[in-house]
Amino acid sequence: MACQGLQKGETLATLKRESESLKKKLEEERCKLSDVELHQVAEKIEVLGALSIKTRRVLKGHGNKVLCMDWCKDKRRIVSSSQDGKVIVWDAFTLNKEHGITLPCTWVMACAYAPSGCAVACGGLDNKCSVIPLSLDKNENLAAKKKSVAMHTNYLSGCTFTNSDMQLLTSSGDGTCALWDVESGQLLQSFHGHTADVLSLDLAPSETGNTFVSGGSDKKANVWDMRSGQNIQSFESHESDINCVKYYPSGDAFASASDDATCRFYDLRADREVAVYQKDSIIFGASTVDFSLSGRLLFAGYNDYTINVWDVLKGTRVSILFGHENRVSRVRLSPDGTALCSASWDNTLRIRNINNWA
């Protein structure tokens, strides 16, 4: 049946070869028109001085791998989720646990703070994303107030609120992303384009941001229009799963972390990859990335228990942060840029100060 549309003398193999050669020619023509690499432009920029990034707090309380975390907009509170089935809300200053919520499933793979700071969203192997309102009464049973908002056909890998508490964006192992109305639980828009599990998503940073980026096991990073549901840009240069995607502070670019042991930087206006962050000595996959507030530094967490700090412009590694005793699952900069929180499979979270590079 598949061969009915073929011309005489054609086979699927010859057509495949032809399409590959056309793809190669197209890429060569694009390269002729392309901008130069980022490190070439940055040659005359001053080298960064020594960084002073020290661990100031260690948050202990989870009984298993910490899989995700997020900062509250108040720059003080943190929500974390774990393989132990718990979601904990912490006061990062005092180390107090403000809320501990036990979910019916283990592997709570995603969590996010609402912009108002009055609720958190979380989910994982239950295929759902639930929103839990937070109260000032620390003894209140918050699990009873849990409301299921999103429902996928496979595990939930990521979630984030849009610029209000009323809409929630989710990514899933079912290969889709989706936008939901929190109040009604109604599906507002679904995003189809990945051919395997979607592992990460990030919302564009502008207040009117109507785009987001997603990365998945199909080695692709896709940029989406939230209003139309259309895939407006696609990038495919990684050689393995993309574990994390994160927008540059200006919203004009994004970084990705992959199991191929590299992080890559894509310029949306140039529609291409402009930098690769890698070293021969780094052989373990990168699991998570985030930028400093200025956008000059890229923090990348790896499966070898370290966090590497990269100079975004020059493409060089400027520091290595040690301390965790297992895979780093998440790194997130505080909203004011003065602290970096990392979550790890060693059951802890660490908070480091970033005083000289906000």
Side-chain angles (χ1 to χ4, degrees):
M1 289 295 287
C3 297
Q4 278 185 357
L6 297 177
Q7 301 294 319
K8 193 178 177 184
E10 281 184 333
T11 65
L12 285 175
T14 59
L15 288 175
K16 200 171 179 184
R17 277 199 300 274
E18 190 181 344
S19 77
E20 286 299 324
S21 84
L22 287 171
K23 205 171 169 184
K24 202 172 176 184
K25 280 180 189 168
L26 196 62
E27 199 52 48
E28 284 168 5
E29 290 304 313
R30 277 183 71 185
C31 285
K32 288 176 190 172
L33 301 169
S34 284
D35 300 334
V36 293
E37 295 293 314
L38 198 56
H39 66 88
Q40 293 171 273
V41 183
E43 273 174 3
K44 292 176 184 170
I45 291 174
E46 272 188 50
V47 176
L48 287 174
L51 299 177
S52 172
I53 303 174
K54 292 189 173 73
T55 299
R56 298 296 179 191
R57 300 275 190 281
V58 180
L59 306 182
K60 295 178 180 178
H62 281 293
N64 214 322
K65 299 169 184 172
V66 186
L67 303 173
C68 190
M69 60 74 50
D70 192 26
W71 285 92
C72 180
K73 286 257 185 348
D74 69 2
K75 312 163 203 158
R76 176 166 183 156
R77 285 171 182 81
I78 288 170
V79 62
S80 62
S81 63
S82 165
Q83 194 185 329
D84 62 10
K86 285 192 174 67
V87 173
I88 297 177
V89 175
W90 310 79
D91 182 325
F93 289 5
T94 64
L95 304 187
N96 289 342
K97 299 178 192 70
E98 297 202 341
H99 301 286
I101 307 148
T102 303
L103 296 182
C105 79
T106 55
W107 285 88
V108 187
M109 300 164 78
C111 64
Y113 238 114
S116 68
C118 296
V120 293
C122 55
L125 287 187
D126 56 357
N127 302 0
K128 285 188 259 184
C129 188
S130 303
V131 173
I132 303 165
L134 302 175
S135 71
L136 295 172
D137 181 5
K138 295 182 183 179
N139 298 317
E140 190 174 351
N141 180 17
L142 294 181
K145 291 177 146 190
K146 177 168 67 81
K147 179 183 179 183
S148 293
V149 172
M151 192 74 195
H152 282 277
T153 57
N154 208 328
Y155 67 89
L156 186 87
S157 58
C159 64
T160 182
F161 285 88
T162 58
N163 293 310
S164 80
D165 288 20
M166 302 316 296
Q167 290 184 347
L168 191 63
L169 197 57
T170 58
S171 62
S172 168
D174 62 14
T176 69
C177 298
L179 181 66
W180 309 84
D181 180 82
V182 171
E183 195 62 42
S184 65
Q186 185 182 350
L187 175 64
L188 301 175
Q189 187 68 261
S190 58
F191 306 89
H192 300 264
H194 283 284
T195 54
D197 303 20
V198 185
L199 301 176
S200 174
L201 59 81
D202 191 41
L203 191 68
S206 72
E207 287 300 314
T208 54
N210 288 308
T211 60
F212 73 94
V213 62
S214 63
S217 297
D218 55 1
K219 311 173 195 172
K220 279 185 194 165
N222 290 337
V223 181
W224 306 88
D225 185 319
M226 278 167 62
R227 292 162 298 186
S228 66
Q230 295 296 310
N231 178 196
I232 49 178
Q233 280 175 286
S234 193
F235 302 90
E236 197 175 352
S237 58
H238 277 294
E239 293 165 15
S240 191
D241 300 10
I242 296 176
N243 295 316
C244 184
V245 284
K246 186 69 183 170
Y247 268 101
Y248 190 70
S250 69
D252 295 324
F254 71 91
S256 59
S258 168
D259 277 344
D260 64 11
T262 70
C263 297
R264 293 169 192 259
F265 190 59
Y266 299 94
D267 188 318
L268 297 174
R269 293 165 300 182
D271 194 33
R272 67 183 285 261
E273 175 194 293
V274 290
V276 183
Y277 307 101
Q278 64 183 355
K279 282 179 86 69
D280 290 341
S281 57
I282 301 173
I283 55 171
F284 288 89
S287 51
T288 176
V289 282
D290 199 8
F291 288 98
S292 64
L293 217 54
S294 66
R296 182 69 191 269
L297 299 176
L298 180 71
F299 302 97
Y302 290 79
N303 297 345
D304 65 356
Y305 317 168
T306 65
I307 297 167
N308 285 349
V309 187
W310 299 91
D311 182 330
V312 171
L313 298 180
K314 291 188 172 289
T316 54
R317 184 171 65 185
V318 290
S319 185
I320 309 176
L321 309 179
F322 298 97
H324 281 299
E325 295 168 11
N326 207 325
R327 177 185 298 197
V328 179
S329 54
R330 186 85 155 176
V331 290
R332 280 292 172 266
L333 198 76
S334 63
D336 61 0
T338 60
L340 180 77
C341 183
S342 57
S344 167
W345 282 20
D346 65 8
N347 308 359
T348 70
L349 298 102
R350 285 176 172 262
I351 299 170
R352 296 172 168 87
N353 67 310
I354 315 281
N355 290 340
N356 54 348
W357 265 97

